[in-house]
CSV table of all heavy atoms in Angstrom, one decimal:
chain,number,residue,atom,x,y,z
A,15,THR,N,29.9,-17.5,-10.4
A,15,THR,CA,29.2,-18.7,-9.8
A,15,THR,C,28.2,-18.3,-8.8
A,15,THR,O,27.1,-18.8,-8.8
A,15,THR,CB,30.3,-19.6,-9.1
A,15,THR,OG1,31.3,-20.0,-10.0
A,15,THR,CG2,29.6,-20.8,-8.5
A,16,PHE,N,28.5,-17.2,-8.0
A,16,PHE,CA,27.5,-16.8,-7.0
A,16,PHE,C,26.2,-16.2,-7.7
A,16,PHE,O,25.1,-16.5,-7.3
A,16,PHE,CB,28.2,-15.7,-6.2
A,16,PHE,CG,27.2,-15.1,-5.1
A,16,PHE,CD1,26.9,-15.8,-4.0
A,16,PHE,CD2,26.8,-13.8,-5.3
A,16,PHE,CE1,26.0,-15.3,-3.1
A,16,PHE,CE2,25.9,-13.2,-4.3
A,16,PHE,CZ,25.6,-14.0,-3.2
A,18,ALA,N,25.2,-16.9,-10.8
A,18,ALA,CA,24.5,-17.9,-11.5
A,18,ALA,C,23.7,-18.7,-10.6
A,18,ALA,O,22.6,-19.3,-11.0
A,18,ALA,CB,25.5,-18.8,-12.2
A,31,GLY,N,-3.8,-5.1,-9.1
A,31,GLY,CA,-4.5,-6.0,-8.3
A,31,GLY,C,-5.7,-5.3,-7.5
A,31,GLY,O,-6.1,-4.2,-7.8
A,49,GLY,N,-11.3,-1.6,-3.8
A,49,GLY,CA,-10.6,-0.7,-4.7
A,49,GLY,C,-9.7,-1.5,-5.6
A,49,GLY,O,-9.7,-2.7,-5.7
A,83,ASP,N,-28.8,13.8,6.4
A,83,ASP,CA,-28.9,15.1,5.7
A,83,ASP,C,-29.5,16.1,6.7
A,83,ASP,O,-29.6,15.8,7.9
A,83,ASP,CB,-29.8,15.0,4.4
A,83,ASP,CG,-31.2,14.5,4.7
A,83,ASP,OD1,-31.7,14.7,5.9
A,83,ASP,OD2,-31.9,14.0,3.8
A,106,ASN,N,11.8,-9.5,0.8
A,106,ASN,CA,11.2,-10.8,0.5
A,106,ASN,C,12.1,-11.9,1.0
A,106,ASN,O,13.3,-12.0,0.5
A,106,ASN,CB,10.9,-10.9,-1.0
A,106,ASN,CG,10.0,-9.8,-1.5
A,106,ASN,OD1,9.1,-9.4,-0.8
A,106,ASN,ND2,10.3,-9.3,-2.7
A,110,LEU,N,10.3,-21.3,0.3
A,110,LEU,CA,10.4,-22.1,-0.9
A,110,LEU,C,11.2,-21.3,-1.9
A,110,LEU,O,10.7,-20.3,-2.4
A,110,LEU,CB,9.1,-22.5,-1.5
A,110,LEU,CG,8.1,-23.3,-0.6
A,110,LEU,CD1,6.8,-23.6,-1.3
A,110,LEU,CD2,8.8,-24.6,-0.3
A,116,LYS,N,9.6,-23.9,-10.8
A,116,LYS,CA,9.2,-24.3,-9.5
A,116,LYS,C,8.5,-23.1,-8.8
A,116,LYS,O,8.9,-21.9,-9.0
A,116,LYS,CB,10.3,-24.8,-8.7
A,116,LYS,CG,10.8,-26.1,-9.1
A,116,LYS,CD,11.9,-26.7,-8.1
A,116,LYS,CE,12.4,-28.0,-8.5
A,116,LYS,NZ,13.4,-28.6,-7.5
A,141,ASN,N,-29.5,17.8,0.2
A,141,ASN,CA,-29.8,18.3,1.5
A,141,ASN,C,-28.6,18.4,2.4
A,141,ASN,O,-28.7,18.7,3.6
A,141,ASN,CB,-30.9,17.5,2.2
A,141,ASN,CG,-32.2,17.6,1.5
A,141,ASN,OD1,-32.6,18.7,1.1
A,141,ASN,ND2,-32.9,16.5,1.4
A,142,GLY,N,-27.4,18.1,1.8
A,142,GLY,CA,-26.2,18.1,2.6
A,142,GLY,C,-25.9,16.8,3.2
A,142,GLY,O,-26.7,15.9,3.4
A,163,TYR,N,2.0,7.0,6.2
A,163,TYR,CA,3.1,6.1,6.2
A,163,TYR,C,2.9,5.0,7.2
A,163,TYR,O,2.0,5.0,8.0
A,163,TYR,CB,4.4,6.9,6.7
A,163,TYR,CG,4.2,7.6,8.0
A,163,TYR,CD1,4.5,6.9,9.2
A,163,TYR,CD2,3.7,8.9,8.1
A,163,TYR,CE1,4.4,7.5,10.4
A,163,TYR,CE2,3.5,9.5,9.3
A,163,TYR,CZ,3.9,8.8,10.5
A,163,TYR,OH,3.7,9.4,11.7
A,168,GLY,N,3.2,-9.4,4.9
A,168,GLY,CA,2.4,-10.3,4.1
A,168,GLY,C,3.2,-11.4,3.5
A,168,GLY,O,4.2,-11.8,4.1
A,182,TYR,N,-0.9,-6.8,4.1
A,182,TYR,CA,-1.7,-6.0,5.0
A,182,TYR,C,-0.8,-4.8,5.3
A,182,TYR,O,0.2,-4.9,6.0
A,182,TYR,CB,-2.2,-6.7,6.2
A,182,TYR,CG,-3.1,-5.9,7.1
A,182,TYR,CD1,-4.4,-5.6,6.7
A,182,TYR,CD2,-2.6,-5.3,8.3
A,182,TYR,CE1,-5.2,-4.9,7.5
A,182,TYR,CE2,-3.4,-4.6,9.1
A,182,TYR,CZ,-4.8,-4.4,8.7
A,182,TYR,OH,-5.6,-3.6,9.5
A,225,PHE,N,11.1,-6.9,-17.6
A,225,PHE,CA,12.6,-6.8,-17.9
A,225,PHE,C,13.4,-7.4,-16.8
A,225,PHE,O,13.3,-7.1,-15.6
A,225,PHE,CB,12.9,-5.3,-18.0
A,225,PHE,CG,14.4,-5.0,-18.2
A,225,PHE,CD1,14.9,-5.2,-19.5
A,225,PHE,CD2,15.2,-4.6,-17.2
A,225,PHE,CE1,16.3,-5.0,-19.7
A,225,PHE,CE2,16.5,-4.4,-17.4
A,225,PHE,CZ,17.1,-4.5,-18.7
A,230,LYS,N,17.9,-14.2,-17.6
A,230,LYS,CA,17.6,-15.7,-17.4
A,230,LYS,C,16.1,-15.9,-17.2
A,230,LYS,O,15.6,-17.0,-17.4
A,230,LYS,CB,18.3,-16.2,-16.2
A,230,LYS,CG,19.8,-16.3,-16.4
A,230,LYS,CD,20.5,-16.8,-15.2
A,230,LYS,CE,20.0,-18.2,-14.8
A,230,LYS,NZ,20.6,-18.8,-13.6
Side-chain angles (χ1 to χ4, degrees):
T15 302
F16 179 71
D83 61 21
N106 302 323
L110 298 178
K116 287 188 178 181
N141 294 318
Y163 56 89
Y182 184 74
F225 177 76
K230 292 179 60 180

